[in-house]
Amino acid sequence: MIAIGAGVVIPAQAEPLRVTHLQLGLNAGLTRLVVEGSGPLDAAMAASADGLGLQLSLPSTRWAAPAPEVTAGGLVGALGLPVTGPDGQLNIAIDLIEPAVVERAFRLGPQGVRGHRLVIDLRPAEPNAFAAAFAAPVHLPLDTAVDIAPPPTATAGERRRLIVLDAGHGGQDPGAISASGRYEKEITLNVAKAVAQRLRATGRYRVLLTRESDRFIRLSERVALARSKEADLFLSIHADSLSSDRATRGASVYTRAEAASDTEAEALALRENRADQLSDTASAGDLDDVVSILLDLASRDTAKLSSRFAGLLTAAMGETTPLRRNALRAANFRVLSAPDVPSALLELGYLSNPADEALLFSESGRDRLAAAVVGAIDRFFGVEPR
Ligand SMILES: [Zn+2]
């Protein structure tokens, strides 16, 4: 009850807190959730019922935020839609691509246009550490700050990671063609070279390009190069085009799956896989059955790493350029078939969209995109750029 003046009493309105913004991103190699609210927020985090994800619960809080712009990235495969429980508790389901624990969780006060924030950083964990951490709900913010181990830095003599960058298409295969008649093969090579230059400048990586000039290479040869050199990461770079739709724009990231995540991704994989039909040279030979069965075991770990990198790449691209809705997808891309090299395919944007075309063909746009790719690679290997 609040007393106002003499004798005038009105009931206290327990105004519920409101969540005004929810943001998923990456910070210092950790997956970061920032929940912004109308006042200091409390939350609890628990393992989801199926044990494969997390549930974030905020007591007496209601949702008053726009849909999050990024719903996948880092360790998070998908953020669920917020649901209000009968007790007024706001619940948000967090799908994980691998087990994770809370590294730290703290509050920040209002600052500029930002309101009260609850910042939650997640790091990967072994399944048993995940189970132990969430044996009971974890109350956030955490009372004690947790020190974060310094990121590993390459020392002299240590093997530097090998990144294979694959500029899509080339030679007689132009790839997609822009509204004004420019070629995908040109953009993919320019961006691959810009990424290579930035990666080499860090001194932390060795870099190989599947092609350095405008020439045709079969998809299987691109895969074979990454495998024979024992690459630590393979990134195939592309740009898409939709003949009947000039409005669609934004980047998307793909991993390989036998069954596509959606029909659009399936159609894209068919378009990208068609590249080899433009060559009349014999196939360099697909894996024979025995080898592919043996490699299936390796490919499960590789698939996990590929998903992790794709999530990081999606988040990094989202900080730089518009993303397609459901920007993280999967389909049966032949160029992602290395069973022992983590691989992802980046579609930088749509050549059929004038804004994307301008971005992709400008030097500044290309540099921004390249910087985002390098940021994701750094995060994947646990190196925070300074
Ligand atoms: Zn392409």
Side-chain angles (χ1 to χ4, degrees):
M1 306 285 268
I2 298 171
I4 299 176
V8 183
V9 175
I10 58 167
Q13 200 80 49
E15 173 74 12
L17 287 171
R18 284 171 292 118
V19 170
T20 54
H21 198 241
L22 177 64
Q23 190 182 351
L24 173 65
L26 299 156
N27 183 68
L30 301 169
T31 301
R32 173 166 282 188
L33 264 176
V34 181
V35 191
E36 192 169 330
S38 55
L41 296 167
D42 282 311
M45 196 171 255
S48 58
D50 64 8
L52 300 174
L54 293 167
Q55 176 163 284
L56 181 69
S57 302
L58 298 105
S60 312
T61 305
R62 66 188 179 81
W63 181 256
E69 282 170 31
V70 176
T71 56
L75 298 166
V76 175
L79 280 181
L81 292 173
V83 176
T84 303
D87 46 4
Q89 176 171 291
L90 186 70
N91 297 316
I92 301 167
I94 303 168
D95 284 352
L96 295 174
I97 62 171
E98 61 182 281
V101 295
V102 178
E103 176 78 25
R104 57 184 173 180
F106 55 93
R107 285 192 190 129
L108 290 173
Q111 201 175 20
V113 296
R114 308 298 304 269
H116 292 267
R117 282 152 292 166
L118 175 62
V119 180
I120 305 161
D121 284 339
L122 300 172
R123 67 167 167 84
E126 293 300 319
N128 52 3
F130 170 81
F134 296 105
V138 176
H139 291 279
L140 309 175
L142 297 173
D143 293 333
T144 49
V146 179
D147 283 338
I148 294 179
T153 47
T155 55
E158 195 179 342
R159 180 181 172 276
R160 285 178 304 150
R161 312 274 188 181
L162 174 64
I163 317 296
V164 172
L165 299 171
D166 175 45
H169 311 279
Q172 70 260 42
D173 169 21
I177 300 173
S178 80
S180 58
R182 304 180 77 173
Y183 295 150
E184 176 187 355
K185 66 176 183 178
E186 185 190 330
I187 285 170
T188 60
L189 184 58
N190 285 342
V191 172
K193 284 181 172 173
V195 173
Q197 193 177 31
R198 282 174 175 268
L199 284 174
R200 287 177 179 135
T202 68
R204 291 191 291 269
Y205 304 101
R206 293 173 296 139
V207 185
L208 261 183
L209 275 72
T210 53
R211 66 179 177 95
E212 306 240 11
S213 60
D214 181 18
R215 68 187 186 95
F216 181 85
I217 311 168
R218 300 184 59 85
L219 297 174
S220 52
E221 290 175 68
R222 299 168 193 257
V223 178
L225 176 76
R227 297 194 65 212
S228 67
K229 301 289 181 187
E230 298 181 8
D232 296 286
L233 184 67
F234 176 86
L235 177 63
S236 190
I237 298 171
H238 290 259
D240 205 359
S241 177
L242 295 170
S243 53
S244 57
D245 174 5
R246 279 166 58 84
T248 296
R249 70 171 300 196
S252 45
V253 178
Y254 295 80
T255 54
R256 182 168 185 266
E258 298 284 341
S261 57
D262 54 281
T263 51
E264 200 185 354
E266 191 172 11
L268 174 70
L270 284 176
R271 285 200 293 281
E272 300 290 12
N273 289 346
R274 207 181 291 151
D276 278 1
Q277 296 167 11
L278 294 163
S279 158
D280 52 13
T281 53
S283 164
D286 291 324
L287 296 168
D288 68 47
D289 285 349
V290 176
V291 174
S292 66
I293 288 165
L294 288 173
L295 284 168
D296 186 46
L297 293 170
S299 75
R300 289 176 207 172
D301 284 341
T302 307
K304 243 189 201 176
L305 289 170
S306 299
S307 291
R308 182 164 148 66
F309 174 66
L312 292 167
L313 183 58
T314 308
M317 294 302 289
E319 291 164 14
T320 304
T321 180
L323 290 178
R324 277 305 310 280
R325 201 157 39 84
N326 305 324
L328 186 53
R329 303 182 188 207
N332 200 356
F333 290 92
R334 292 192 56 198
V335 80
L336 301 182
S337 61
D340 42 8
V341 181
S343 303
L345 184 143
L346 169 63
E347 293 280 350
L348 295 160
Y350 286 82
L351 299 184
S352 41
N353 174 273
D356 269 4
E357 186 187 9
L359 175 79
L360 295 176
F361 278 106
S362 74
E363 198 174 323
S364 65
R366 187 181 67 205
D367 282 347
R368 275 166 48 206
L369 295 167
V373 173
V374 173
I377 291 172
D378 271 341
R379 288 162 188 164
F380 180 64
F381 290 114
V383 180
E384 178 64 8
R386 280 272 151 241

